[in-house]
Amino acid sequence: MHTDDPLIAQRLAKLELATQRDGDPFWRTRYDVTHHAAEIVDGFEALEGTSVRLAGRLHTLRGKGKAAFWDLYDQSGRIQIFLNVDSVGEEAFRHLGEVIDLGDIVGVEGQVIRTRMGEVSVHASAVTLLTKSLRPPPLGKEKDGETWNRLTDIEARYRRRYVDLFVNRDVRAVFEARSRIVQSIRRTLDERGFLEVETPMLQPIQGGAAARPFITHHNALDMELYLRIAPELYLKRLLVGGFEKVYEINRNFRNEGIDTSHNPEFTMLETYEAYADYNVVMDLTEALVTNACLAVHGKLQIEFDGQEIDLTPPWPRKKLYDIVAEATGQDLGAMGGDEAEREAAARRVAEQIGVYVQPSDGFGQIVDAIFKKYVIAKIVQPTFIIEYPVELSPLAKRRPDKPELTERFQPIIAGLEMGNAFSELNNPIDQRERFEAQARRAQRGDAEAMPYDEDYVTALEYGMPPAGGLGVGIDRLVMLLCDQRSIRDVILFPTMRPD
RNA sequence: GCGCCAGUAGCUCAGUCGGUAGAGCAACGGACUUUUAAUCCGAUGGUCGAAGGUUCGAGUCCUUCCUGGCGCACCA
């Protein structure tokens, strides 16, 4: 405790004063609450004159000699507490004045009234100090939605999210919405007969996505384990096991850079449905996103970063090569020639429009790079991008009519990649070849090539039903639905360097 | 990893040409029994992100480093 800090020392002195009169507030264990602030404000007509008990943090103290007005916030919101010497007694009133600070947590018992100025209030007859706040809260001031001197320093807000949450109510609102979104997703899937499961976060072979993993070590087994980059291969093993509809909502970990749309740990929804193809999954995606939006907004028209977005289904479906051709004026999909010629042509287009590509990138990766860096930001309204080249999609099923393409799609909204989905490759012979192609890419220097998972191929050899799978980045969905430009604003404790 | 920007009182911010740091709010003392950014009077509060350097003198100029934001690269 920094007793050398005068502001903390003052508060410790007040704690001592409070303890002398009423006992140490930190020994109190219980305060029975009858109402929350919003219930009293909203239900004033019925509650006027009745006695209530509520508890919360003090955000404003307005003293006026022998009367005082406090703003008390609980989880539901704000209510004014009115107290004067007549309601609590002269001695108690003076004592409270000496002991109570901004940020203290108190229990209040009193009558529901409306003040002369017309504000619904609780006229306190008893105030109990439940927790002494020993640090000055950076609450600032507020009037008509305008705020002054409130904590805004972005670093301090992330590092001390607990302060951010009680100081900035709109931050709370984002996380309340996040909870409703996840709830809605579970409801949508449960109603359709999906089973929620949990699969390993610690994996001996990382798989299911192209990304660099975090590596950790298990002492007793004396072996390296990877924090999962995706649950995909385990969930599909469950289809082999006979579950027909499964999903998991959980954390993935990817050892990559941090920016406004990437956090090293992030939350992913993955669903797998036997006997469904990617068309069925597109319908499911629309249902998941629109239900979540309705749960938060009650309508399907939202604003993101100043753009009007309408989520009303059905969302248009556009082929990857077509939309890249539209944006660049060069139809790479229609290009003939062998692999090397196609790759060289794609490389030229990338160079023309200023998209950087790795020397190790093949044709598919270059097209993907052009799409991600040049095209995707231009897609504002919800759109399914479909038909990805097979070399980009080592776990996706080929189109029967065009085997160099897969039955894969990505939902794009407001320039954000909201997910990834495909008809699942269930042919163990083809899967083995795809893993081998990935291994060749790893040799070529691609740190994100997918490692060979022999047991997964074994599982497919027993037989996995045809199935459609979906992955949705929950954090990005929350960003979209809550109009937040940074993933850090939808993650309670984003990854930061230590102070 | 590269570039740009930022870090000054508990909070929000000023700080000119290099001359020994200022405001508002909070906190502190006082007045005030229906206020609401309450008001009024008074007196406080600083390792200027860190370390070096230039200079008679550095919040200010230079170097390195730390932390964060944004953009690029990588990625979902």
Side-chain angles (χ1 to χ4, degrees):
Chain A
M1 185 60 58
H2 304 270
T3 45
D4 52 324
D5 181 331
L7 295 175
I8 290 178
Q10 280 169 9
R11 284 169 177 252
L12 283 169
K14 292 181 181 184
L15 171 64
E16 180 58 31
L17 213 61
T19 301
Q20 279 168 17
R21 182 178 183 271
D22 299 317
D24 187 339
F26 289 113
W27 285 6
R28 291 195 183 103
T29 56
R30 178 168 174 169
Y31 190 84
D32 291 325
V33 167
T34 63
H35 292 78
H36 281 93
E39 291 175 74
I40 297 168
V41 172
D42 298 341
F44 174 73
E45 308 305 329
L47 289 170
E48 184 173 14
T50 63
S51 184
V52 295
R53 285 164 67 90
L54 70 167
R57 191 186 292 274
L58 296 173
H59 280 221
T60 313
L61 306 175
R62 293 181 293 278
K64 220 181 160 297
K66 293 181 175 171
F69 301 86
W70 298 345
D71 290 343
L72 179 145
Y73 278 78
D74 63 18
Q75 183 170 294
S76 73
R78 188 194 85 99
I79 191 164
Q80 176 168 270
I81 308 299
F82 170 51
L83 62 160
N84 55 11
V85 293
D86 301 327
S87 64
V88 296
E90 200 152 342
E91 189 276 333
F93 187 86
R94 192 178 57 249
H95 179 256
L96 287 168
E98 288 168 349
V99 148
I100 294 295
D101 278 310
L102 226 47
D104 286 350
I105 295 171
V106 297
V108 173
E109 183 168 3
Q111 277 208 324
V112 176
I113 60 157
R114 198 188 279 281
T115 63
R116 196 177 293 168
M117 298 299 286
E119 178 156 357
V120 173
S121 307
V122 172
H123 192 186
S125 54
V127 174
T128 310
L129 179 58
L130 297 174
T131 297
K132 184 70 193 157
S133 171
L134 296 178
R135 286 178 186 271
L139 287 162
K141 300 214 168 184
E142 180 179 5
K143 190 193 186 186
D144 301 333
E146 240 189 308
T147 59
W148 293 266
N149 307 327
R150 177 164 292 206
L151 181 70
T152 56
D153 180 83
I154 194 126
E155 184 178 354
R157 287 184 39 227
Y158 294 150
R159 288 195 191 281
R160 300 195 175 178
R161 184 69 94 180
Y162 41 89
V163 175
D164 191 27
L165 286 166
F166 72 73
V167 167
N168 296 305
R169 300 296 286 197
D170 50 335
V171 173
R172 296 175 61 98
V174 168
F175 292 102
E176 286 163 3
R178 182 175 176 132
S179 175
R180 287 200 298 278
I181 288 165
V182 173
Q183 218 171 50
S184 160
I185 289 170
R186 287 206 162 92
R187 196 182 313 120
T188 301
L189 291 165
D190 293 346
E191 279 168 0
R192 289 169 185 238
F194 279 81
L195 183 75
E196 182 170 12
V197 297
E198 291 178 89
T199 63
M201 315 278 277
L202 294 174
Q203 303 181 346
I205 302 169
Q206 92 277 14
R212 284 152 66 182
F214 287 93
I215 305 170
T216 187
H217 185 262
H218 188 277
N219 290 339
L221 295 176
D222 188 25
M223 68 180 291
E224 304 282 275
L225 286 168
Y226 300 95
L227 271 62
R228 75 173 186 198
I229 57 174
E232 172 156 356
L233 300 184
Y234 284 94
L235 290 169
K236 284 192 282 194
R237 283 174 171 96
L238 298 180
L239 298 184
V240 173
F243 292 115
E244 293 182 2
K245 293 180 176 183
V246 294
Y247 74 97
E248 179 166 8
I249 299 176
N250 223 322
R251 220 68 61 79
N252 288 349
F253 306 87
R254 297 190 184 174
N255 206 338
E256 308 283 0
I258 296 176
D259 62 32
T260 49
S261 51
H262 301 262
N263 196 64
E265 53 177 314
F266 63 101
T267 302
M268 187 86 159
L269 162 72
E270 289 202 9
T271 74
Y272 293 89
E273 178 172 358
Y275 314 116
D277 72 353
Y278 77 148
N279 291 297
V280 175
V281 179
M282 280 188 249
D283 296 341
L284 176 65
T285 305
E286 286 172 347
L288 286 166
V289 172
T290 55
N291 285 347
C293 185
L294 290 171
V296 173
H297 296 290
K299 57 175 184 170
L300 293 176
Q301 292 70 40
I302 58 171
E303 191 171 304
F304 182 82
D305 203 6
Q307 303 164 113
E308 295 292 334
I309 291 163
D310 189 346
L311 296 174
T312 306
W315 303 342
R317 303 170 181 198
K318 290 195 171 174
K319 295 176 183 173
L320 177 66
Y321 286 144
D322 288 351
I323 200 155
V324 169
E326 267 176 46
T328 63
Q330 310 251 12
D331 193 350
L332 292 166
M335 202 161 290
D338 64 14
E339 174 63 26
E341 284 167 344
R342 284 152 53 88
E343 182 184 319
R347 213 170 272 280
R348 278 196 300 276
V349 173
E351 199 173 335
Q352 272 171 30
I353 58 177
V355 168
Y356 174 84
V357 291
Q358 300 276 17
S360 62
D361 286 349
F363 175 76
Q365 285 164 299
I366 296 169
V367 173
D368 192 49
I370 293 170
F371 174 66
K372 281 181 177 168
K373 288 163 200 169
Y374 189 75
V375 183
I376 203 168
K378 305 184 204 301
I379 304 172
V380 174
Q381 299 304 324
T383 306
F384 290 117
I385 305 301
I386 61 171
E387 295 189 5
Y388 285 68
V390 67
E391 62 266 38
L392 278 182
S393 318
L395 302 167
K397 205 169 217 176
R398 296 173 193 272
R399 283 185 63 91
D401 54 333
K402 285 180 259 176
E404 72 284 3
L405 295 176
T406 56
E407 289 201 347
R408 175 181 169 194
F409 74 85
Q410 291 195 288
I412 310 295
I413 309 172
L416 286 170
E417 220 175 290
M418 302 302 305
N420 188 23
F422 35 84
S423 301
E424 302 296 334
L425 175 59
N426 63 341
N427 178 345
I429 299 158
D430 193 359
Q431 184 65 72
R432 193 182 292 281
E433 284 164 7
R434 306 269 193 104
F435 275 138
E436 280 161 3
Q438 290 292 310
R440 284 194 295 276
R441 271 178 49 183
Q443 284 191 327
R444 219 172 141 178
D446 186 342
E448 279 138 17
M450 209 173 278
Y452 201 124
D453 189 333
E454 184 62 48
D455 180 72
Y456 177 65
V457 176
T458 301
L460 295 187
E461 286 170 348
Y462 281 98
M464 182 178 93
L470 168 69
V472 175
I474 297 297
D475 311 279
R476 290 184 180 175
L477 180 60
V478 176
M479 285 170 69
L480 173 75
L481 296 181
C482 295
D483 195 15
Q484 299 296 314
R485 262 70 108 221
S486 172
I487 198 167
R488 281 172 233 120
D489 292 320
V490 302
I491 292 175
L492 280 166
F493 299 99
T495 305
M496 309 265 296
R497 280 202 168 84
D499 231 336

